[in-house]
Structure formats: structure tokens, C-alpha cells
Amino acid sequence: MSQPVPATSITSPAASPEIVVIRSISVDGSRVRYSTGGQGPAVVFLHGWGLGHHAYRRGLRRLAKRGFRVIAPALPGFGATAELPDDAQSLAGYAAWTQRFCEAVGESYPVVVGHSFGGGVATKLACDFAGSARAIALLNSIGGEWSNGQNRAPMESRPWWDWARSVPSDVGALVSNFASTMPSVLEDLVPNVVRNPFGVAKVGRLARSADLSVELSLLRSRGLRTLVVHSENDGVIPRSSFESVCDQLGQTGHIVVGNHSWPMTHPEVFAEVVGGFVDSLE
């Protein structure tokens, strides 16, 4: 297990007006870059597949300005963070790494927020490391089931034509917000694909096949405070998956505007939803 070490600053807070800056810390003997800023209750944010902390910077800034300490790492295999060993290439492996990262930055009991793939990691973290998270917020998270309108089945059984029909709307949402959103998205996505195409593909398969019904039911039995959010036009994670996650947790979820990428395209909604949830824990 890695020991906490002093973080080094990549962007000097004294020389930058940004409330959220990029720092670097050692986890498992490798350097990890993460965005951080603000003061108050700690919120650890875990990004979606193929991305990193840069893509969410507008929402993270707003959250920090609301009075929270934001900490958003580049997960293994993304943003120049070293890949996990082959025998740890699983949601359990990502959860264990996240636990070690939280220890390294000195946050043993944060609120953990995950978008898409990051939501699956947050779920597994809270399940495998009881007491590691004060609460979790799952934003358009993986881990639920797919429905053909009659029966539910594992997400990996969702046919390709259903993906092809639905996903373009999410791409269009990002393109329509090109000036404000795409530069940050491309800052993460392009280097990730160029640097580690096979690793990105492996995590994509992991996300698509994730079934967290057992873990979600366990969190329900423990009474962990959980927020589940979905967006009205998500083409990546279908509504049926969101509903199955809510059912396993035994709670009513929340619907917000936007597509799968809403935490990036609607940063003010992201900050309002996450900030309101953390405030409700007081």
C-alpha cells in the first residue's frame, strides 16, 4: 500500500487565478496528475471512459467555488497515469487503486462522485472498502441492466444497433458545445487514444460488461447515502439501466437536462446537483 507523500504543484496557485489547479502525487510508485481546489467537505470525482479530469474542469471549478474541496484524478490508463497490472484490470482493481489514491492525498472519508465508468468505480469502492466513502453520487453510471421493453438483461447483451441508434445524439451534444466543451474533452480523449489505444479499448469492454447488481444491493443493506442521477437524452446509458440501479438501491433517482455528457455540457447543473447532495449530508 502506498504511503502519503507530499504533492507537487504543476500549475502554481500563486501564479494562476484558477481556483482549481493541477497537482501531482505518487501512487503505487507512479506519478498521478489530478485537479484540485477549493476548501470545505472533500469531494473525490471519478471521470468517465476515455476522458480525464480536464474534460470536467468547468463543473469542478463551480463546485470548488460553492465551498467544497474538489479532488479529481486521472484514473489508471488515462491522462498519463500508469495502467493497472493485468491481474487488476477490473472494477475491483480500479476501486482498490482509488482507495490508495485517496489515502495518498489524505482523504479517508470523502464523498465520491462518479460519472459513467467512474460511477461503476465509485460503487465498487464503497462496496469493497466499507467506510471509505461518506456517500456516493452516481451520474449516468454503468453497472445497471438493459431492457428490451419486456425483460431486463446484462448490459453486454444490448445489441449493436441499439447503441448505433442512440450514441450519435451524445456526440452531437458535445459538438454543439464545441467552443466551451470540446477543447477540454479533446485534451483528454486524443492523448488517451494515441498513447494507449488498447488500454482504452479494454476499459471500454469492462464498462460495457459491468453488472453491479450484487454490489448495489449490498450498499442498500448498509444504508449508505447514495444519489443516482440520469439525463433525459442519454444515448450511452439507457433509461432502463438507470431504473435498475435505482431499484437495486431501493430509491428514486433524479433526471436532469442534457445527454450522457451533461456534467461537461451543463457544468452549472453538475455543480448544483452534486453540491446540493453534499450539503444535504450535513
Side-chain angles (χ1 to χ4, degrees), residues 45-148:
F45 177 77
L46 306 177
H47 61 79
W49 172 81
L51 299 174
H53 49 95
H54 298 99
Y56 301 85
R57 60 166 57 116
R58 295 194 302 156
L60 296 175
R61 289 170 185 159
R62 284 170 169 79
L63 196 57
K65 289 178 180 178
R66 281 181 60 100
F68 303 104
R69 184 189 177 207
V70 174
I71 307 157
L75 291 169
F78 302 99
T81 300
E83 272 195 289
L84 292 172
D86 289 343
D87 60 357
Q89 289 278 347
S90 63
L91 282 176
Y94 274 92
W97 180 93
T98 302
Q99 173 70 0
R100 296 192 295 273
F101 169 81
C102 289
E103 291 174 351
V105 296
E107 292 296 345
S108 60
Y109 195 55
V111 175
V112 182
V113 180
H115 176 231
S116 194
F117 176 72
V121 177
T123 300
K124 194 65 175 168
L125 170 73
C127 181
D128 291 357
F129 298 89
S132 61
R134 180 182 172 201
I136 60 173
L138 309 178
L139 314 181
N140 301 65
S141 178
I142 65 169
E145 296 175 305
W146 173 77
S147 173
N148 60 7

Side-chain angles (χ1 to χ4, degrees), residues 28-225:
D28 298 337
S30 299
R31 302 307 292 181
V32 176
R33 292 188 177 187
Y34 64 102
S35 291
T36 187
Q39 296 182 346
V43 176
V44 171
F45 177 77
L46 306 177
H47 61 79
W49 172 81
L51 299 174
H53 49 95
H54 298 99
Y56 301 85
R57 60 166 57 116
R58 295 194 302 156
L60 296 175
R61 289 170 185 159
R62 284 170 169 79
L63 196 57
K65 289 178 180 178
R66 281 181 60 100
F68 303 104
R69 184 189 177 207
V70 174
I71 307 157
L75 291 169
F78 302 99
T81 300
E83 272 195 289
L84 292 172
D86 289 343
D87 60 357
Q89 289 278 347
S90 63
L91 282 176
Y94 274 92
W97 180 93
T98 302
Q99 173 70 0
R100 296 192 295 273
F101 169 81
C102 289
E103 291 174 351
V105 296
E107 292 296 345
S108 60
Y109 195 55
V111 175
V112 182
V113 180
H115 176 231
S116 194
F117 176 72
V121 177
T123 300
K124 194 65 175 168
L125 170 73
C127 181
D128 291 357
F129 298 89
S132 61
R134 180 182 172 201
I136 60 173
L138 309 178
L139 314 181
N140 301 65
S141 178
I142 65 169
E145 296 175 305
W146 173 77
S147 173
N148 60 7
Q150 297 178 337
N151 302 304
R152 285 179 177 172
M155 184 63 70
E156 61 183 338
S157 66
R158 184 185 184 189
W160 67 267
W161 53 260
D162 192 62
W163 289 93
R165 178 185 65 183
S166 304
V167 170
S169 64
D170 288 284
V171 176
L174 285 172
V175 172
S176 66
N177 288 272
F178 184 87
S180 58
T181 303
M182 284 301 288
S184 296
V185 171
L186 294 176
E187 188 175 352
D188 282 327
L189 182 59
V190 173
N192 285 336
V193 172
V194 171
R195 184 188 300 116
N196 187 22
F198 296 109
V200 170
K202 282 190 294 185
V203 176
R205 289 194 296 271
L206 178 62
R208 186 174 184 272
S209 62
D211 180 354
L212 294 171
S213 55
V214 172
E215 287 82 356
L216 292 165
S217 295
L218 179 58
L219 294 182
R220 176 183 182 177
S221 69
R222 290 179 183 171
L224 179 73
R225 293 286 296 275

